[in-house]
């Protein structure tokens, strides 16, 4: 009789264990998601704060200037709210490269002015 009870208990345990395992696994994944949301570091793909961008730009500037002997300047185009990078010779101050190029930015401003002539935003 004890052998039959043990067999029945084993069968009942086997039948209920998958449900318990699923609940335990769901609880673990919920806890992992909660901990992930509480981390202080920003996730990849999340927008960076202006202070984080400024700090990263300063670190990059130091590395580039040390490694290449060139000066790296970061600025923001006020009209389009875009980042502008200028690489210049440290000794002469001559601009070697500008990203985006000055000609491109001038062309973009002229095109926006022309579009403004055809489209009335007050309508």
């Amino acid at each position: 009789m004890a052998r039959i009870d043990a067999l029945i208990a084993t069968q009942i345990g086997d039948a209920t264990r998958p449900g318990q395992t699923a609940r335990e696994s769901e609880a673990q994944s919920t806890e992992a998601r909660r901990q992930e949301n509480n981390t202080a570091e920003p996730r990849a793909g999340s927008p960076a704060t202006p202070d984080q961008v400024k700090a990263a730009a300063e670190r990059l500037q130091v590395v580039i200037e040390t490694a290449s002997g060139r000066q790296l300047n970061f600025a923001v185009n006020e009209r389009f709210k875009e980042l502008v990078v200028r690489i210049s010779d440290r000794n002469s101050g001559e601009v070697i490269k500008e990203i985006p190029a000055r000609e491109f930015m001038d062309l973009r401003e002229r095109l926006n002015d022309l579009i403004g002539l055809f489209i009335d935003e007050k309508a």
Side-chain angles (χ1 to χ4, degrees):
M1 184 77 172
R3 191 169 193 190
I4 294 174
D5 290 338
L7 182 62
I8 292 172
T10 303
Q11 289 175 350
I12 291 173
D14 289 344
T16 58
R17 224 175 277 130
Q20 288 174 344
T21 304
R23 284 190 297 273
E24 288 170 0
S25 147
E26 184 178 327
Q28 287 174 350
S29 64
T30 302
E31 177 66 22
R33 271 188 253 120
R34 187 179 60 77
Q35 287 178 355
E36 186 177 292
N37 289 337
N38 290 337
T39 58
E41 295 181 14
R43 293 185 199 172
S46 65
T49 65
D51 291 335
Q52 291 172 332
V53 172
K54 186 175 182 179
E58 288 172 356
R59 288 192 308 267
L60 181 62
Q61 185 174 6
V62 169
V63 170
I64 295 292
E65 288 179 1
T66 304
S68 68
R70 299 201 171 140
Q71 190 172 4
L72 191 64
N73 296 321
F74 295 97
V76 175
N77 181 327
E78 294 299 322
R79 182 167 182 189
F80 297 110
K81 304 293 185 217
E82 282 184 333
L83 180 66
V84 178
V85 181
R86 287 185 192 90
I87 303 169
S88 57
D89 186 70
R90 188 182 300 175
N91 298 328
S92 67
E94 175 188 0
V95 175
I96 298 169
K97 183 88 172 165
E98 189 171 34
I99 305 168
R102 169 66 57 200
E103 295 83 12
F104 175 75
M105 290 189 299
D106 291 342
L107 176 63
R108 185 174 175 187
E109 286 186 27
R110 283 183 279 171
L111 285 173
N112 272 355
D113 290 341
L114 286 173
I115 290 172
L117 293 174
F118 295 113
I119 299 173
D120 184 12
E121 294 181 16
K122 295 179 183 178

